[in-house]
Amino acid sequence: MTETQPTPWLAPGTPVDLTNCEREPIHVPGSIQPRGVLLAVSEPDLVVEQASANLADVVGVTWQAALGRPLADVLGTVPAQAVARSAAAFGDLRERNPVELTLDRDGTPVPVDAILHRALHGSPGQQSLKDASGPVDAAGRPLASSLVIELEPASGPRPFSFPNTYQAVRGTIAELNRASDLQSLYDITVQAVRSLTGFDRVMLYRYDTDFNGEVVAEAQHGGLTSFLGLHYPASDIPAQARALYEKNWIRLISEVPYTPAVIHPVDHPATGRPLDLTYSTLRSVSPIHVEYLVNMGVASSMSISLLREDKLWGLIACHHYAGPHAPPYATRAAAEFLASTLSLRLVDRAAEEEVRRALRARSTLAWLTAATLDEERPLADSLLGAPDLLDLVPADSVVVHLEGHTAVRGVPVDETVAARVAAWAEGLRRDVVATESLTADAPALDIPVEVACGALAVPLPEGQWVVWLRQEKIRSVDWGGDPHHKVRVVEDAGEVRISPRQSFDRWQETVHGRAEPWTAAEVGEATELRTNLLEALYARTRRVARAAETLQRSMLSEPPQPDHVQMAVRYVPAAREAQVGGDWYDAFTQPDGATILVIGDVVGHDTEAAAVMGQLRGLLRGIAFDSGHGPAEVLRRLDRAVEGLRLEAVASVLVARLEQTPEEVEQGVTRLVWSNAGHPPPVVLTEDGRTELLTGPRADLLLGVHAGAPRREHEATLARGSTVLLYTDGLVERRDQVFDDGIAALRDRLTTLADTPLEELSDILLADLVPDRAEDDIALVAVRLHRQDRPRPDR
């Protein structure tokens, strides 16, 4: 998960208002909501280390008397034994929540639900949701932790036990399976959650890319003003709150407002810091959020996270107005289960729609590519036939300027306008440039919005280009209150402070100066078109060397240089006239900070192999960048794409991922996870000059041979100072040298280069192993793990 924690956190006791709430450490509030009580106990002896101030309200023992005593003295022997059994059992603690206990309070039985989790004594918020019998680090060593026990009075009959959660929502899940569209999925879910939990209003709240929210479904008792269709600014839910929603998927505030019950001692004895309540069910919430709910007239609130690939994309928000409302834990768990099911359905549906859209786009791109092969026809005319570029990327107009010809399709537009946009885009030195607002992103062009508002530009060599244009799309947005007046100034105890707004009435804003945004898929298709156009231009001109250089530069960009690694890349074309082949490399950083490394070799040579290489590289990037898939799954999906899109491509490909957990960072190691589709194995050079060939139990098939071919994943732990070398077979295989001899020569030479700078090492290998002009293309990626991590910016 992307770390959204702001730094530094506010110091304890600092007053919180809207000027600093984004820095409020809401995961360590030092208090809980008073609907239950909290105990933090040591393991394995189960001695009370911390207790909430209201402990006596449920247990009958004051927090002062509980501290330092065995749990059995506080809860009683039988309840303490039940807690110990549940905590000691193997597996996820959540699977056994709640532990149903009956306390003896002065001879009166008190039924309670005990909800258990572990709080690790490490970096705040880093503990796992899937606690086993005891948390361990990456090396399997136990980590210090406290067992957190939250006790909620079970005032009425329990609706069902946690293992029967599925039965409670079985009918709703069947409805979700039959739903024909997204809106039906939304509506079924909010109605079911309201029936299950009894809240006055249940809403499904969906985020856009900037985390502004929109209410897309609502269920209520009929006497409330509808919030359906209203938008809410991202500032209503700060970044650190969204981060908690990704970790702890359900949050209940049973009474608004409430007086928090302080945890004593505030700082945990073992850490000197407040107890991390990231996974607590009773965690006290920000006073700003409580005030926000009071201003809305909400007496009780519950929210359930909706995740897509472990990222927050929305919430189910529940409001109650008649007074306090506290659905029992099992009911909340059933609602959470229902939300998880909805999330899975949404992911499945989104994947299906993306596959259909991608196949349509690939079909159009294939037709366009075939049309460009007719060298007797101007390239501009080939792209504007049937189908045309507007079938590939929807827009109001598309203008192409190729080989000295300019042509327009769609709404007529002055060619000079597109030319100015193309010149601006070329100056940005990017393969493809997209903007939904030329007035905002390129004001110097001075293009009126009624002429063109959004643009997708593909600069090409020698002043050639393709530009899609979209007109202004004026749209109205209904906000829940004026988003430009999110705060109010109030006087509190003689002091002036900033407070959340009070008005949540429907407020309509008209948005000007923007076109329909270009999607990531549309930008990707324009990028692939660029690759194919480069190939077409190469084939049509006789300036072979210059066209080849352009194509190679487009495909083989400079690698990133993350903090913990250094990279060097090389590409040496074979001694052929065309100087273009199917070898390629790629390296990029994923949103979670991991680094993806790719090396590949398409079967065949010259322009056909280069074209296939460009398609495979683009597909692989799209699959791997923000998907969360491991290397093996990336290759599986690439195999299916090759078959589904009928690319007729066969290639050896190796996909690797360099990743680190916080514990591995401390230990000075990095994990290399890779999957190999018939490619030469990577070689690791350790700091002391030893080499290791990273081979799996057996080789997997080449990419494109069989879409169902198994793809296996392998893993190695690398120490700081190690160097990983990925390469194509041109480095180790020649007419007079078999593959195994080439590998041996490579390893022998590497043993002498452990202390050699990475760029120099790459050049030495090429010079020594390929002394004459290469018989085959060679691609090489060298990655060295820094001997000492660079300091992070927040240190």
Side-chain angles (χ1 to χ4, degrees), residues 213-289:
E214 178 188 2
V215 179
V216 295
E218 179 185 60
Q220 52 150 298
H221 56 52
L224 301 172
T225 301
S226 176
F227 287 170
L228 185 62
L230 291 187
H231 292 70
Y232 294 87
S235 57
D236 279 6
I237 304 179
Q240 74 269 37
R242 295 194 297 268
L244 279 188
Y245 283 131
E246 290 179 347
K247 297 175 182 177
N248 194 347
W249 302 335
I250 191 163
R251 186 221 60 197
L252 171 67
I253 307 173
S254 58
E255 184 174 5
V256 178
Y258 65 88
T259 301
V262 175
I263 296 173
H264 295 286
V266 172
D267 292 334
H268 191 279
T271 66
R273 294 195 300 265
L275 185 67
D276 189 337
L277 297 182
T278 294
Y279 298 105
S280 166
T281 188
L282 296 175
R283 176 180 60 84
S284 191
V285 298
S286 167
I288 292 294
H289 185 63

Side-chain angles (χ1 to χ4, degrees), residues 589-660:
T589 302
Q590 293 182 300
D592 66 356
T595 300
I596 294 293
L597 306 173
V598 181
I599 193 85
D601 185 359
V602 174
V603 174
H605 295 291
D606 300 325
T607 56
E608 182 178 352
V612 171
M613 174 266 285
Q615 291 175 313
L616 292 181
R617 178 182 180 273
L619 279 170
L620 195 151
R621 271 200 160 209
I623 292 169
F625 174 67
D626 198 17
S627 65
H629 301 312
E633 181 62 20
V634 168
L635 286 177
R636 279 192 288 268
R637 288 174 179 256
L638 187 58
D639 248 335
R640 291 198 294 270
V642 168
E643 180 185 67
L645 301 173
R646 299 181 180 179
L647 296 183
E648 297 183 357
V650 177
S652 68
V653 185
L654 186 143
V655 179
R657 174 179 157 101
L658 285 169
E659 56 188 42
Q660 287 180 304

